[in-house]
Amino acid sequence: MAERATRRQERATRYERLEHALETAGIDGDRFVDHAVSALSEVRPWIVADPATQFSSDEFEALEAGGLDMSPRRLDEADPIAETAARFAALLADSATSEEVATLLHVTRARVRQRALERTLFAIREGDEWRFPRIQFSGGAQISGLAAALPALPRDLHPVVAWRFLTEPNVDLEIVDQPVAPLAWLRSGGDPAAVAAIARDL
């Protein structure tokens, strides 16, 4: 009984932490949950707990001989699928609609959609709509130079990978001998061509 109460308390504490994190980030909780459920429903069917169930014995032995770890995933192992789904949900929850971006940039919605297709805006297709992560905007405009760098990203790059590329320090971009993220590089007035060159190799 006491153990069950402890588990309930731990679960409540986790939900409180999530609620606080979303509130601090200015992200609507219901919107985040909707996106998280959608993301999980897309990725969960593809999870394979035991690779042995996916191959013949000959194929399995050949892959293992090639150096691949074919052991079943342990319950205490990090779950990259869950992490990606959570990041994707956060990215969508903290994004703007075409109408919001049109208002921000003082252009028409048609122009916003055109720029999404040109890939000069960081855009994610969600059903029939485009979503635009807010990380690319600052001070009522798109971060200077980003429009020139974005088209260099591979077309099939997952939005979460693109997000991480833009927001995590890169050893090829330095300010005062310190690696900085591409967005920080561009905010500081760095050359977009340097970001584009790295993006092409992703």
Side-chain angles (χ1 to χ4, degrees), residues 61-200:
E61 289 174 9
L63 291 168
E64 199 167 40
L68 294 180
D69 181 1
M70 302 298 287
S71 57
R73 188 173 69 84
R74 298 188 309 273
L75 292 177
D76 61 344
E77 276 185 316
D79 185 347
I81 300 295
E83 181 183 345
T84 299
R87 287 178 180 271
F88 190 44
L91 187 59
L92 285 173
D94 192 25
S95 62
T97 63
S98 295
E99 185 173 356
E100 289 171 330
V101 174
T103 300
L104 177 71
L105 301 182
H106 306 290
V107 296
T108 64
R109 290 178 63 183
R111 177 57 183 150
V112 170
R113 289 192 296 270
Q114 182 184 14
R115 288 194 59 190
L117 293 170
E118 293 170 349
R119 302 195 307 132
T120 58
L121 283 169
F122 181 15
I124 302 169
R125 192 73 173 175
E126 186 184 29
D128 295 332
E129 301 293 329
W130 287 103
R131 309 292 306 188
F132 302 87
R134 297 181 192 277
I135 58 165
Q136 66 189 303
F137 304 112
S138 179
Q142 188 183 33
I143 293 171
S144 179
L146 187 57
L150 285 173
L153 289 168
R155 286 187 176 274
D156 60 351
L157 197 67
H158 192 282
V160 170
V161 179
W163 180 32
R164 296 186 74 161
F165 166 70
L166 291 170
T167 58
E168 294 181 356
N170 191 295
V171 295
D172 292 321
L173 301 172
E174 290 189 350
I175 297 176
V176 196
D177 297 326
Q178 290 295 318
V180 295
L183 288 184
W185 170 265
L186 294 173
R187 282 194 190 99
S188 73
D191 187 356
V195 176
I198 302 168
R200 290 189 191 96

Side-chain angles (χ1 to χ4, degrees), residues 35-47 81 85 88 92 125-127 158:
H35 289 305
V37 169
S38 176
L40 286 170
S41 68
E42 290 178 14
V43 299
R44 276 297 169 197
W46 301 103
I47 295 175
I81 300 295
F88 190 44
L92 285 173
R125 192 73 173 175
E126 186 184 29
H158 192 282

